[in-house]
Every structure is written in C-alpha cells, then in structure tokens.
Amino acid sequence: MRLVFAGTPETALPSLRTLIDSPRHDVVAVVTRPDAQSGRGRKVHPSPVAELAEEAGIEVLRPQKAGDPAFLDRLRALAPDCCPVVAYGALLPQVALDIPRHGWINLHFSLLPAWRGAAPVQHAILHGDEITGASTFQIVKELDAGPVYGVVTEEIRASDTSGTLLERLSVSGAGLLAATLDGVEDGTLEARPQPADGVTIAPKISVADARVDWTKPAMHVDRLIRACTPGPGAWTEFRGQRVKLGAARVVEGERPAPGEIVATKTSVLVGTATDALLLGEVQPQGKRLMQAGEWARGVRPEAKESFT
C-alpha cells in the first residue's frame, strides 16, 4: 500500500523504520508536528520523525493544523491507501480521515478500551496495572474509540518507569502495526468494535499532578515517581526550592514521618504514610542530575527536616 505515516516523537521511530523497510508497503510521505524549540539553548529542531524521514529521502509535511487546506490538497495528491499513526500529537478532522481508502490506523500504547487518551503508559503504572500492551485501531472522531485490529501485551515490571515501558512497547508495537497493515492490504484482517465495558481515560499528567504527597503510602509514591519518569518528572520541595526525583525503591520496615529525610553519607531515605523510600537520582532546581547521597552531602539536612 501507499502509506503516509503520521508521528512526531522518538516513540514513533521503530514503527516508521519498520514500514520503510517493509517490502509490502511504500512510505511516500510523513506528517509530523512543526519544528519546535528544545534543549537547553531552546533552538528550533525538527521532530525525530522528520529527521528520520529526511535521512530516508521521504517528503515531510508539517501542517500547523491537520485541517489546513494546503495540507489536505497535498494529502489528496499523494493518494495514500492508508495513513498509519503513532503519537502524532494533533487532532485529525473528518475531512482528513476520509482521504485514504483504508483510513487512518493508530498504534496506541494500551489494551483498549483501557486508558484512552494522551498518557496511557503513565496511567497504567500509576494505577498499579500488572499487564499493559499496545493496540492498533481505526481512527474515528471519538477519542481512541475506533474498532480494534489487533493487540500485543507487555508485563509491567516493578522497576519500570514510563520511559522504559514505552521503549519496549514502541518496539513490539511496531511489529503489530506492520502486521496490521499487511492484514488490511490482503483483506485478511477485520477490525472489531471495542467493548462498552472497561473504558478508562488517561489524560496528560501535568506538572502539578507530578508533585509528591508524602502522606500517601509508599507504593503510591513509588508508582507516581515511576509514572512521571522521564516526563513531566515527579517533584517535591526542600527549603522552598523544587527537587525533581528519579526512580526510588520502597524499603520495608523503615518508618520515618511522612516527608522526613534520613540521610547518611551514601543514601537518603524519605518517610511516607507507610514504609520509607530510598531515593535514587535527584535534580535540585537549576542544577544537574545527581545521586541522592551527593545531594544530601551538599545540603546537609538537619534532624527531622522534611520534604514538603
């Protein structure tokens, strides 16, 4: 099939590479978000998908909105049979959905109808799911509600952050997307409606949502930190300044007061409503990422001093 691939971040790269390499399909263009500022210097950079497409000599379309007339005209001229989508990051109007004869097929990183929305991997970790996965489905107007072609499953490990889990899902999901397009092309695969039961929503996790509440149980705090790593980054405050927290570990049997810091030369424990958490890496406001022990040696928390 002639494909126009839509995607933006690194998460989409395994799928794009797989489809470029597929002998059964031809990626004639990609659609991605406009170039944006990133990095410390806030320089304008193309998206990871745009960079890969340009390296492969594939046309790159960067509409401000997917309903822009010039973009729609170019999409019609490209005459795609199907538009696979992985983390594109913008809404698609019906006029765009109607152009390819096989529609737009999305790779979504959850087992639909669970965790429809922008942050399915983060919410799966935050809510303590043991199994998650990826689904391919036909895009319709309602959010992530279209009929499903196929799924792959993935165990959520106790040490998983949203970053490590999404990395695995992006690879297994790439194979699922390619197999889905093969089945659509040869007519052997039919999408099935999602069940009405089991719908959960996964909205984007904001910076405010990522603030740690030390009066919660240790398991909850651990899940929040892992769900927010690498973005938006779980955080707390110490002496009025923000401190970002990397993945931590629950230490059973240690019971400082909620938020209380117990520092040694090499480690930092923090109290919760239940057991303590052993901090890993931290990033004080305006400073580099460092081991928690190094941070504590610099700030020297006083006895009974706490995060807030």
Side-chain angles (χ1 to χ4, degrees):
M1 292 191 293
R2 287 174 61 82
L3 304 178
V4 172
F5 180 91
T8 298
E10 288 189 13
T11 304
L13 297 185
S15 290
L16 179 55
R17 290 192 186 100
T18 298
L19 296 178
I20 290 172
D21 293 342
S22 171
R24 297 186 59 171
H25 308 293
D26 181 17
V27 181
V28 297
V30 304
V31 185
T32 191
R33 300 295 292 148
D35 297 353
Q37 292 180 332
S38 64
R40 281 198 154 191
R42 306 304 294 165
K43 293 182 179 179
V44 175
H45 295 281
S47 73
V49 162
E51 290 183 333
L52 177 56
E54 287 168 349
E55 288 172 10
I58 296 170
E59 180 179 352
V60 179
L61 307 176
R62 298 177 173 87
Q64 289 292 335
K65 294 182 179 179
D68 291 349
F71 165 69
L72 295 173
D73 287 344
R74 182 56 188 151
L75 189 61
R76 291 187 189 100
L78 288 165
D81 296 305
C82 186
C83 294
V85 185
V86 184
Y88 171 46
L91 294 175
L92 297 163
Q94 191 63 47
V95 64
L97 296 179
D98 291 339
I99 291 174
R101 64 189 181 96
H102 289 298
W104 297 63
I105 295 177
N106 190 44
L107 173 65
H108 183 75
F109 297 111
S110 81
L111 298 176
L112 292 171
W115 303 129
R116 296 176 180 175
V121 173
Q122 290 91 333
H123 280 273
I125 292 175
L126 182 61
H127 289 82
D129 294 358
E130 295 181 354
I131 300 291
T132 188
S135 308
T136 48
F137 71 96
Q138 190 86 35
I139 293 181
V140 297
K141 190 173 182 180
E142 187 181 350
L143 177 67
D144 298 337
V148 172
Y149 285 101
V151 300
V152 291
T153 59
E154 183 75 39
E155 180 184 358
I156 300 179
R157 301 168 186 168
S159 60
D160 265 330
T161 64
S162 61
T164 61
L165 181 54
L166 190 55
E167 185 176 354
R168 295 203 306 278
L169 287 170
S170 68
V171 174
S172 59
L176 171 64
L177 181 60
T180 297
L181 295 174
D182 291 348
V184 169
E185 189 263 341
D186 62 25
T188 60
L189 192 59
E190 182 179 348
R192 301 288 180 87
Q194 294 184 34
D197 295 333
V199 175
T200 49
I201 305 300
K204 182 178 179 180
I205 295 177
S206 70
V207 173
D209 296 330
R211 183 172 190 167
V212 172
D213 180 352
W214 297 104
T215 67
K216 298 287 188 181
M219 185 175 292
H220 172 89
V221 178
D222 170 55
R223 288 173 182 168
L224 176 69
I225 294 172
R226 290 189 293 114
C228 294
T229 302
W235 61 280
T236 187
E237 284 192 352
F238 179 75
R239 296 175 184 168
Q241 291 201 317
R242 190 171 295 191
V243 179
K244 277 192 173 183
L245 305 173
R249 180 167 59 85
V250 177
V251 179
E252 295 181 357
E254 297 286 343
R255 295 291 180 96
E260 182 182 343
I261 301 166
V262 180
T264 70
K265 291 183 179 180
T266 57
S267 67
V268 178
L269 288 175
V270 186
T272 72
T274 55
D275 296 307
L277 281 186
L278 177 67
L279 298 188
E281 292 181 320
V282 303
Q283 186 173 15
Q285 188 171 321
K287 296 185 179 179
R288 63 177 174 82
L289 195 67
M290 63 185 71
Q291 291 296 319
E294 180 185 355
W295 168 80
R297 289 193 296 274
V299 299
R300 298 182 179 180
E302 297 175 4
K304 305 294 183 181
E305 196 166 7
S306 299
F307 286 126
T308 58

